[in-house]
């Protein structure tokens, strides 16, 4: 009687959370993060336990075959949902239907050749292997694609490994004691149902928490990026720089301030859509040319920045020259037109700075250099006024002067 109540509670938890997951997925619209898959997994497992209550004990019937198939299809839906949560595009119905067809055939074959005990042992053994695979996937994820969710993933791994262990024990008990081991009021089955009921209470809110955390992270990321180019904005640059200076013994950084030359003329001649195309093109050049680990952003209008980390003045100048040359060399195709544009940028470099609080001074420093570069003819690199941090000869095409240093 107690076991029946526990299974009934388990069914209620699973089906209620299936509805909740489905409603959440509807609200998420384009980015469901696997919630619809989790809803289906809960529905399949809930229906499997409903069928188990209706069976009232091990039996060979169509209901039993469906029960076993749904029981094992549920973790597949959960696993696919987890893949969706982490941004992988995976199908749902093809693997589930394919598995159902294969497992129904396997049940018929095992029942006919080895008997009912082997079929129930196969169910427990397959469940143990599936949850073992899920546990190992989570452990792998903690080391690779889910590092930002370390604590949550460790907890999930521990909980799911418990299901794996219980199913492995059930597999051994069935092999040793036959179908009597599946009696609902046995001590082992009581432990199994208590654990599953507890899990059905704990895991669904944990999944909702993960979704809320991911949504919060996405909102924070959106707030820190320019919507058109997806480069960092002022806020994003400040936060990233704060993280850089606070988590390591960081070397001073250099700020490169870039301005698209004659951008107003491009807008006036070709239209604002062409101007947006130019900005997106320059943003892509900046993103692809900057070194891994450097910060890139758009801080308004036609102004872009690159913050060089872990380098010296020579490295900052080399990056600036690569940026200038790359923008100049690459043609820009204007949509709905045969025109091909080419643009240039002028780049001002700041003195080295070693804290987020010094960022505004670095911007003013680079802006002053940029202004001098514009006045000197554009499409050039301008260094800060004479400072011991910059060296007069870095192998550029023209010698660098100490007061109005420039590289054409």
């Amino acid at each position: 009687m107690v076991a029946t109540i526990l299974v009934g509670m388990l069914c209620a938890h699973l089906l209620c959370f299936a509805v909740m997951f489905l409603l959440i997925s509807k609200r998420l619209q384009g980015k469901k993060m696997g919630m619809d898959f989790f809803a289906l997994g809960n529905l399949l497992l809930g229906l499997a336990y409903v069928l188990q209550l209706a069976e009232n004990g091990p039996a060979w019937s169509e209901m039993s075959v469906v029960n076993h198939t749904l029981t094992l299809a549920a973790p597949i839906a959960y696993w696919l949902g987890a893949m969706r949560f982490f941004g992988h595009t995976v199908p749902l119905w093809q693997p589930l239907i394919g598995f159902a067809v294969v497992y129904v055939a396997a049940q018929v074959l095992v029942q006919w050749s080895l008997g009912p005990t082997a079929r129930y042992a196969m169910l427990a053994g397959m469940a143990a292997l599936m949850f073992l695979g899920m546990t190992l996937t989570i452990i792998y994820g903690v080391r690779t694609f889910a590092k930002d969710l370390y604590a949550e993933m460790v907890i999930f791994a521990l909980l799911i490994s418990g299901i794996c262990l219980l199913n492995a024990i059930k597999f051994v008990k069935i092999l040793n004691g036959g179908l009597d081991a599946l009696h609902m009021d046995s001590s082992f089955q009581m432990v199994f149902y208590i654990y599953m009921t507890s899990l059905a209470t704990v895991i669904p809110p944990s999944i909702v928490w993960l979704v809320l955390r991911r949504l919060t992270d996405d909102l924070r990321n959106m707030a820190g990026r320019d919507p058109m180019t997806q480069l960092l904005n002022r806020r994003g640059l400040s936060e990233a720089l704060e993280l850089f200076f606070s988590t390591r013994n960081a070397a001073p950084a250099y700020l490169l301030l870039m301005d698209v030359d004659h951008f107003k003329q491009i807008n006036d001649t070709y239209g604002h859509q062409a101007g947006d195309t130019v900005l997106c093109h320059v943003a892509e050049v900046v993103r692809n040319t900057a070194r891994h680990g450097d910060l890139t952003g758009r801080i308004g209008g036609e102004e872009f920045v690159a913050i060089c980390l872990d380098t010296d003045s020579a490295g900052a100048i080399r990056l600036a020259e690569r940026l200038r040359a790359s923008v100049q060399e690459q043609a820009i195709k204007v949509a709905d037109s045969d025109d091909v544009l080419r643009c240039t940028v002028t780049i001002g470099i700041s003195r080295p700075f070693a804290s987020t609080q010094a960022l505004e001074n670095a911007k003013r420093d680079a802006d002053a250099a940029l202004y001098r570069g514009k006045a000197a003819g554009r499409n050039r690199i301008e260094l800060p006024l004479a400072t011991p941090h910059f060296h007069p000869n870095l192998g550029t095409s023209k010698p660098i002067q100490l007061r109005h240093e420039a590289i054409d």
Side-chain angles (χ1 to χ4, degrees), residues 254-294:
Y254 294 82
L255 186 143
L256 279 56
L257 182 61
M258 289 160 275
D259 187 272
V260 180
D261 297 328
H262 302 295
F263 184 71
K264 184 179 183 301
Q265 183 178 338
I266 293 175
N267 271 338
D268 292 343
T269 304
Y270 299 99
H272 289 282
Q273 184 177 358
D276 290 346
T277 301
V278 169
L279 293 178
C280 291
H281 170 78
V282 173
E284 192 65 21
V285 171
V286 171
R287 185 170 20 245
N288 294 335
T289 306
R291 305 170 309 153
H292 179 72
D294 287 343

Side-chain angles (χ1 to χ4, degrees), residues 96-394:
L96 283 180
I97 293 173
F99 167 79
V101 171
V102 171
Y103 195 70
V104 166
Q107 287 187 77
V108 173
L109 179 62
V110 170
Q111 177 76 23
W112 176 74
S113 59
L114 300 174
T117 300
R119 187 170 69 91
Y120 278 86
M122 179 173 68
L123 173 64
M126 287 291 296
L129 289 175
M130 283 186 174
F131 287 111
L132 175 61
M134 290 175 67
T135 303
L136 294 176
T137 301
I138 293 173
I139 293 173
Y140 172 75
V142 167
R143 300 169 62 90
T144 53
F145 57 83
K147 290 181 179 179
D148 59 324
L149 299 172
Y150 181 87
E152 292 89 341
M153 292 297 100
V154 169
I155 293 172
F156 272 107
L158 291 174
L159 294 175
I160 294 173
S161 64
I163 311 177
C164 172
L165 179 61
L166 288 173
N167 276 286
I169 295 173
K170 182 186 288 190
F171 173 75
V172 174
K173 282 184 170 291
I174 294 173
L175 291 181
N176 293 334
L179 296 181
D180 291 338
L182 297 177
H183 193 278
M184 288 188 67
D185 291 321
S186 69
S187 57
F188 173 77
Q189 287 289 79
M190 290 288 290
V191 171
F192 185 87
Y193 294 138
I194 290 172
Y195 187 81
M196 291 299 295
T197 304
S198 301
L199 219 58
T201 306
V202 171
I203 286 186
S206 301
I207 293 174
V208 174
W209 155 253
L210 289 180
V211 170
L212 290 175
R213 175 169 171 178
R214 183 53 56 84
L215 288 173
T216 303
D217 291 343
D218 288 347
L219 287 173
R220 185 181 296 112
N221 184 57
M222 289 172 60
R225 290 191 178 274
D226 170 57
M228 184 169 73
T229 64
Q230 290 305 303
L231 295 179
L232 296 173
N233 57 23
R234 292 176 183 269
R235 174 178 175 174
L237 287 167
S238 296
E239 291 178 351
L241 203 57
E242 181 71 34
L243 183 63
F244 171 76
F245 283 125
S246 64
T247 57
R248 63 174 75 182
N249 185 17
Y254 294 82
L255 186 143
L256 279 56
L257 182 61
M258 289 160 275
D259 187 272
V260 180
D261 297 328
H262 302 295
F263 184 71
K264 184 179 183 301
Q265 183 178 338
I266 293 175
N267 271 338
D268 292 343
T269 304
Y270 299 99
H272 289 282
Q273 184 177 358
D276 290 346
T277 301
V278 169
L279 293 178
C280 291
H281 170 78
V282 173
E284 192 65 21
V285 171
V286 171
R287 185 170 20 245
N288 294 335
T289 306
R291 305 170 309 153
H292 179 72
D294 287 343
L295 304 178
T296 57
R298 179 188 176 212
I299 59 173
E302 63 272 24
E303 286 191 339
F304 297 85
V305 299
I307 299 179
C308 304
L309 308 176
D310 292 326
T311 190
D312 55 13
S313 59
I317 293 175
R318 283 194 294 269
L319 174 58
E321 175 58 20
R322 286 200 304 271
L323 288 168
R324 187 203 63 78
S326 296
V327 172
Q328 182 184 31
E329 291 167 2
Q330 296 186 25
I332 306 169
K333 181 67 172 65
V334 179
D336 301 324
S337 172
D338 295 330
D339 294 328
V340 175
L341 299 180
R342 290 186 183 273
C343 67
T344 61
V345 293
T346 302
I347 303 176
I349 305 179
S350 75
R351 294 178 175 85
F353 62 101
S355 70
T356 309
Q357 291 71 29
L359 178 60
E360 286 303 319
N361 287 334
K363 287 178 182 176
R364 284 193 289 269
D365 209 16
D367 191 59
L370 176 63
Y371 180 80
R372 294 195 305 273
K374 290 283 189 181
R378 296 182 171 85
N379 189 24
R380 58 196 291 123
I381 297 166
E382 193 78 18
L383 307 187
L385 295 176
T387 169
H389 294 288
F390 285 87
H391 304 288
N393 193 347
L394 296 172

Side-chain angles (χ1 to χ4, degrees), residues 3-24:
T4 302
I5 293 175
L6 286 173
V7 175
M9 292 174 58
L10 178 58
C11 293
H13 283 146
L14 290 168
L15 295 177
C16 286
F17 279 115
V19 173
M20 185 181 73
F21 286 165
L22 183 61
L23 292 176
I24 292 174

